[in-house]
Amino acid sequence: MRKFWTRAVALLLASAMLAGCGGKDRKLNGQAALDAVLSQVKFDTELSEVGSNAVLYFPDLPEGTQIQLYTGSGYFADEAVLLTLPNESDSGKAMKVVENHLKELRNQFMNYVPEEVGKIDAAVTVQNGNQILLVITNDTAKVNELLSGSDSSENTSTTGNEDAASEGTTFPVNETLGPLPGATTSTTAPEKTQYPQLTSQSGEYHDYGTGVIRVDNKAYEQYTFVESSTQPYVDIINSVAEKLKGDAKVYDIAIPTAVGIVLPDDIAKKLPGNSDQNDAINRIFSKMSDDVVKVNPYDNLMKHRDEYLYFHTDYHWNGRGAYYAYEAFCQAKGITPYKLDERKEQKFENFLGVLYNKNSGGDEILKNNPDTVEAFNPHSPNAKMRYTDQKGKTYDWSIIMDVSDWDNSSKYSTFAAGDNPIAVFENPDVTDGSVAVVVKESYGNALLPYLVDHYSTIYEIDYRYWTGSLVDFVREKGASDLIFANNLHMIGSSFLIGKLANVAK
């Protein structure tokens, strides 16, 4: 973390921001402003400079833009960034990139750490000349004090992102999808009669304006495939596979979301911007190297789409949905999966997830139709786990925790202790000494109770919160398999891809 000494910097900032008589024609000295913010503003997490990976957080900036980005633990939205553009005429385009960054940040924290959303909504953005300063903190009063000096900022554009909560998510127009490389064209539509057909009761959908819709009594997070947004993810996976060639086999499980599997067919046909997720996965995989074992669970999930695969009030999948992805992984790996009826099942009632609590505005229809969490224990009764939390404390835990009495919004945490920087799973019934590393966000939690049956040890890493070198870690632990388990929203998220790039080295 960079250290700054405050009084000299504050005086420099005050003089740098005000030029001429009466504060006219003032200019933002971005470096002095950034230095002052980092040294004098209170952040909830220690900020460190991201470095060259900062470009992944702010895609599509004008070529030649300098990015100084400081972020902290993935549990907090705090950040400070200074963009220095090659030309002042680029500022309009760059401000749009910053707006999209805030929207993306808001969407991700809404799902994972909703307590941070208010901080994002109050973000301070200043643009003057060819520089843009963005600060996210609870200490916005100090930021504004530093930026205003003793006078008002007549010619400096400063916003608190007041409209972020009301604007909702904008979905880009789907890019033209040509044929996959090497694919043959056909004038006949592919036959899909092997999949169960789903039809809505009402024939209509309700749009909450937050990137979430409701059909009858079920909510769905919308998804639009943008091919260019997924290329950085592909590059990361290919790079890691190249570095680990000969040391570990790299698997990539691309996880479809509910809107791509269980959205009723009549609604899917009329929903603007809705993408075919199987096509999206195949296009992503078409650009991955042969060193990556590609796992597409789409077909297996679609064969069971009339089952309770995904929650109705939350964007995650249920234990049964994760099972069918696990089956697809076992097929790719050439091993035999344990069946669901070979596992002890536990059910936890009255789950109201993120799509109800945060995105729907408390819709009574969802409230009156809460979810049931279906969790299946490992086949091996001797499998165990321990996890390390964000404060570095380690706990022994149940792979499937009894969450009957937990808050109704927390019950997805029954799976593998929820989201933590790192967890270790050990199965004494697997005696071959096999080791795997699983890199995931929260969708991956529900996979661990199944994967643990096939390895002596699994290290589960949540790239949003863990720090370190993934390649070095795999080698240090002697892992034979490195498994990326990522949902399609993550694969196209500039914020989350940036987080992954910070550890995929």
Side-chain angles (χ1 to χ4, degrees), residues 106-129:
R106 191 179 198 279
N107 290 340
Q108 296 302 331
F109 276 94
M110 178 69 78
N111 291 339
Y112 297 118
V113 193
E115 297 80 9
E116 293 291 292
V117 168
K119 190 186 299 182
I120 298 167
D121 291 344
V124 176
T125 307
V126 181
Q127 180 270 317
N128 189 283

Side-chain angles (χ1 to χ4, degrees), residues 147-201:
L147 295 180
S148 64
S150 59
D151 198 358
S152 62
S153 299
E154 298 172 9
N155 299 327
T156 302
S157 173
T158 305
T159 67
N161 200 35
E162 296 88 348
D163 295 330
S166 61
E167 288 180 1
T169 302
T170 57
F171 288 86
V173 176
N174 198 11
E175 294 182 358
T176 302
L177 302 182
L180 290 168
T184 58
T185 58
S186 172
T187 57
T188 305
E191 184 62 53
K192 294 186 178 181
T193 55
Q194 72 271 25
Y195 300 141
Q197 300 298 296
L198 303 180
T199 305
S200 68
Q201 296 175 10

Side-chain angles (χ1 to χ4, degrees), residues 333-470:
K333 186 171 171 59
I335 58 178
T336 302
Y338 291 97
K339 297 179 180 178
L340 280 178
D341 60 12
E342 297 179 89
R343 301 169 178 275
K344 176 186 174 182
E345 181 180 5
Q346 291 177 260
K347 293 186 177 183
F348 308 106
E349 307 288 343
N350 201 34
F351 172 45
L352 289 171
V354 169
L355 300 186
Y356 165 73
N357 284 300
K358 299 299 177 183
N359 285 323
S360 76
D363 190 327
E364 289 294 315
I365 294 176
L366 295 183
K367 182 179 181 180
N368 294 329
N369 291 276
D371 282 293
T372 297
V373 180
E374 296 180 340
F376 297 87
N377 284 264
H379 178 266
S380 173
N382 298 312
K384 57 185 179 180
M385 72 167 290
R386 63 185 183 275
Y387 74 89
T388 301
D389 68 10
Q390 60 173 312
K391 298 180 180 179
K393 294 183 178 180
T394 299
Y395 304 87
D396 293 325
W397 208 253
S398 297
I399 296 176
I400 298 295
M401 174 60 70
D402 187 340
V403 294
S404 303
D405 297 328
W406 288 29
D407 181 90
N408 63 11
S409 66
S410 303
K411 295 189 177 183
Y412 183 71
S413 293
T414 182
F415 299 108
D419 297 330
N420 294 283
I422 189 167
V424 182
F425 300 77
E426 295 178 318
N427 188 349
D429 297 330
V430 178
T431 58
D432 60 3
S434 55
V435 178
V437 175
V438 177
V439 180
K440 59 87 190 179
E441 72 284 318
S442 56
Y443 265 81
N445 300 349
L447 280 171
L448 267 299
Y450 306 120
L451 296 178
V452 72
D453 285 315
H454 301 279
Y455 297 92
S456 297
T457 305
I458 293 178
Y459 296 91
E460 176 204 71
I461 287 175
D462 194 318
Y463 63 87
R464 297 167 298 172
Y465 314 124
W466 184 77
T467 58
S469 166
L470 181 59

Side-chain angles (χ1 to χ4, degrees), residues 244-306:
L244 289 174
K245 194 171 184 176
D247 293 327
K249 188 177 290 292
V250 174
Y251 294 82
D252 190 273
I253 307 175
I255 301 172
T257 64
V259 74
I261 302 294
V262 296
L263 182 70
D265 299 303
D266 57 323
I267 304 300
K269 292 176 181 178
K270 66 169 68 173
L271 185 63
N274 188 48
S275 296
D276 183 319
Q277 293 196 7
N278 188 44
D279 183 61
I281 293 171
N282 286 331
R283 295 189 72 84
I284 292 165
F285 282 169
S286 73
K287 295 183 288 185
M288 284 189 182
S289 76
D290 293 339
D291 295 326
V292 180
V293 180
K294 306 159 189 73
V295 182
N296 183 354
Y298 180 89
D299 182 65
N300 206 31
L301 286 164
M302 285 292 286
K303 289 176 181 177
H304 299 273
R305 66 191 298 239
D306 55 351

